[in-house]
């Protein structure tokens, strides 16, 4: 069954397993796929420029994924059977200007709430460009964690040394 939608209104398609709700109206339009008993399974919010899965809440990110249990939240799966790597997750920093020494290439924060209900990054992994010179590129990888409320470098893999517990 096909339906045509016109700007300026909300349309709902009821399916056996859920519904599709399309709110039309220009830049603030959004698209929602709602399953029975679990609203807002997929929300594409053009007005706020974010996509949500499992929630209607914008958690201050372009892609917001909510899991309400301890199971896997994200799986990257490759069915390729050759000897090459797969699946591959690439954190890529790409800009129109030239790369520079000291640029942070990517970061993974491990966050949680403290007893004052404040969001804290208890651990962090990050990578820097140490030397962006063509042909002699060097990178640095750091693993940081919080000790007594202060972020410390626990491990640093640099171009000429590996340092453990540099902060003492």
């Amino acid at each position: 069954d096909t339906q045509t939608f016109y700007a300026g209104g909300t349309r709902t398609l009821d399916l056996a397993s859920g519904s599709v709700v399309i709110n039309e109206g220009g830049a603030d339009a959004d698209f929602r796929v709602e399953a029975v008993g679990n609203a807002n399974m997929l929300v594409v919010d053009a007005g706020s420029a974010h996509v949500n899965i499992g929630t209607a809440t914008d958690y201050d990110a372009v892609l917001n994924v909510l899991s309400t249990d301890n199971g896997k939240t994200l799986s990257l799966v490759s069915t390729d059977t050759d000897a090459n790597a797969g699946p591959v997750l690439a954190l890529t920093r790409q800009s129109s200007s030239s790369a520079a020494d000291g640029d942070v290439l990517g970061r993974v924060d491990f966050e949680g709430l403290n007893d004052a209900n404040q969001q804290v990054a208890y651990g962090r992994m990050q990578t820097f460009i140490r030397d962006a010179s063509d042909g002699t590129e060097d990178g640095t990888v750091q693993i940081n964690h919080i000790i007594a409320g202060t972020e410390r470098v626990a491990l640093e893999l640099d171009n000429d040394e590996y340092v453990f517990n540099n902060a003492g």
Side-chain angles (χ1 to χ4, degrees), residues 35 39-40 63 69 84 90-91 132 151-152 158 167:
N40 302 313
L63 175 62
D69 63 23
N84 296 315
L91 303 179
E151 184 175 356
R152 305 283 185 187
D158 206 349

Side-chain angles (χ1 to χ4, degrees), residues 76-101:
L76 303 175
V77 178
S78 172
T79 59
D80 192 8
T81 58
D82 62 19
N84 296 315
V88 174
L89 173 63
L91 303 179
T92 304
R93 181 173 181 169
Q94 188 172 2
S95 66
S96 59
S97 62
S98 296
D101 296 354

Side-chain angles (χ1 to χ4, degrees), residues 53-149:
I53 300 173
T55 181
T57 302
D58 179 1
Y59 289 102
D60 196 29
V62 174
L63 175 62
N64 300 283
V65 180
L66 176 68
S67 174
T68 58
D69 63 23
N70 293 322
K72 288 190 236 177
T73 302
L74 175 66
S75 292
L76 303 175
V77 178
S78 172
T79 59
D80 192 8
T81 58
D82 62 19
N84 296 315
V88 174
L89 173 63
L91 303 179
T92 304
R93 181 173 181 169
Q94 188 172 2
S95 66
S96 59
S97 62
S98 296
D101 296 354
D103 282 358
V104 179
L105 295 175
R107 187 173 84 193
V108 177
D109 292 342
F110 299 91
E111 298 180 344
L113 297 176
N114 64 14
D115 62 5
N117 206 31
Q118 298 165 325
Q119 194 76 21
V120 175
Y122 286 92
R124 174 174 290 153
M125 296 186 316
Q126 53 194 356
T127 300
F128 303 87
I129 296 176
R130 176 66 69 192
D131 181 357
S133 303
D134 186 27
T136 62
E137 297 90 352
D138 293 318
T140 298
V141 176
Q142 282 183 346
I143 298 176
N144 303 355
H145 64 117
I146 297 290
I147 299 175

